[in-house]
Amino acid sequence: MEEKIIQITEEELELEDYLDMRIAVRAWGDSLIKNDKMLIFVSDCALDEWADKNRFFDVSELPIRVMTFGSAVNHALNAKVSGIEILGFYDDMSFLSSSELKKTSALVKNYMALESLQINPDEIKRVARQIRENEVYIHGTLPTDYREGDRFGTETMKREKDGTEYTAVPVFLSERSAVKQNPNDAPVNKCKLCDVAFMYRTMFKLFLEPYKRYGFEMDPEDIL
């Protein structure tokens, strides 16, 4: 019987919730791609079922690589695959096509930048300037042309380091992430990271994805 495959959209996936989720990717020798597709497992149960079905009874022999979901999508985007086959979200296999993958490109690139800082925090200036022109989302509004009388304002959050309290502006990599983490129902708006940094360069820190494991705080001067 032919395996049922569910076509899913980027909107249905809501990748921002799973970027740092540890997943397993089927490997074929040195490659993660076969027939122009990637196969990933988002749960141990899905991996175990696949292993039994394909007669891999020794876990140590499983041809997989473990990485984050975001890293897997980044690999798929760079390789320009036709799509990703996903086991573990539904009873049947789901498929995210190349056209849907492309919609996640900006989110994934920003995520990879922040993820790299978890390993090499000393690279903050290089990474910050690498993503300075990228679009992000804030809770609030920036002035449009910085003229006197412009009305603007953004949500802030209190932070503490070494016993000293300070203020940071929460910044999000996607609109959905900003909407989901919005306790005061503030307006959500898109802007460039460098514009937020310019606005608050002598006032506040910027905290990118403050509610995520890979969240990282930046000084506006690092970005500018």
Side-chain angles (χ1 to χ4, degrees):
M1 179 183 295
E2 187 175 344
E3 186 174 24
K4 182 179 179 182
I5 299 178
I6 302 171
Q7 300 283 337
I8 61 173
T9 65
E10 180 272 338
E11 288 83 4
E12 291 170 325
L13 176 61
E14 296 190 331
L15 181 61
E16 69 277 358
D17 289 339
Y18 304 105
L19 284 169
D20 63 340
M21 178 184 186
R22 304 295 287 180
I23 54 96
V25 184
R26 170 68 157 102
W28 285 270
D30 293 331
S31 178
L32 298 178
I33 301 166
K34 185 177 182 181
N35 297 329
D36 200 33
K37 295 189 288 279
M38 288 177 64
L39 172 61
I40 72 173
F41 308 88
V42 297
S43 72
D44 291 338
C45 182
L47 180 57
D48 290 342
E49 289 180 3
W50 176 87
D52 288 343
K53 183 178 179 180
N54 289 274
R55 305 185 67 79
F56 285 96
F57 304 118
D58 186 344
V59 175
S60 65
E61 295 180 358
L62 285 175
I64 62 169
R65 293 189 207 168
V66 176
M67 62 183 67
T68 65
F69 205 150
S71 296
V73 172
N74 185 60
H75 186 87
L77 286 166
N78 290 336
K80 299 180 180 178
V81 300
S82 62
I84 297 179
E85 296 173 326
I86 306 171
L87 287 170
F89 276 145
Y90 304 99
D91 292 337
D92 300 303
M93 177 183 287
S94 52
F95 185 75
L96 191 68
S97 69
S98 59
S99 60
E100 294 298 325
L101 280 171
K102 288 176 183 176
K103 297 177 184 179
T104 72
S105 179
L107 169 65
V108 170
K109 287 180 180 177
N110 284 336
Y111 160 74
M112 293 299 292
L114 293 189
E115 189 65 71
S116 72
L117 290 176
Q118 304 302 319
I119 302 170
N120 297 306
D122 292 339
E123 291 287 298
I124 178 65
K125 288 185 181 294
R126 181 188 63 80
V127 171
R129 289 174 183 173
Q130 173 186 322
I131 64 175
R132 67 185 303 277
E133 297 290 334
N134 292 3
E135 290 182 334
V136 293
Y137 293 82
I138 57 171
H139 293 154
T141 306
L142 292 184
T144 55
D145 49 20
Y146 299 98
R147 287 189 296 193
E148 187 175 350
D150 273 348
R151 296 177 61 84
F152 70 94
T154 57
E155 293 278 290
T156 59
M157 57 196 311
K158 293 298 181 183
R159 300 276 288 155
E160 184 178 325
K161 183 177 182 180
D162 299 330
T164 301
E165 189 177 82
Y166 60 96
T167 302
V169 176
V171 179
F172 303 87
L173 302 187
S174 72
E175 183 176 13
R176 286 196 300 260
S177 183
V179 169
K180 290 175 181 178
Q181 304 291 344
N182 191 3
N184 298 319
D185 293 323
V188 172
N189 284 291
K190 178 170 62 176
C191 57
K192 289 184 177 181
L193 180 60
C194 58
D195 288 339
V196 190
F198 179 78
M199 191 69 248
Y200 294 109
R201 63 195 181 282
T202 59
M203 301 167 63
F204 306 137
K205 302 279 190 180
L206 306 187
F207 197 174
L208 278 68
E209 287 294 351
Y211 305 106
K212 302 292 188 182
R213 177 197 60 79
Y214 52 87
F216 205 90
E217 194 173 272
M218 295 184 177
D219 191 300
E221 293 303 323
D222 291 333
I223 300 167
L224 299 173

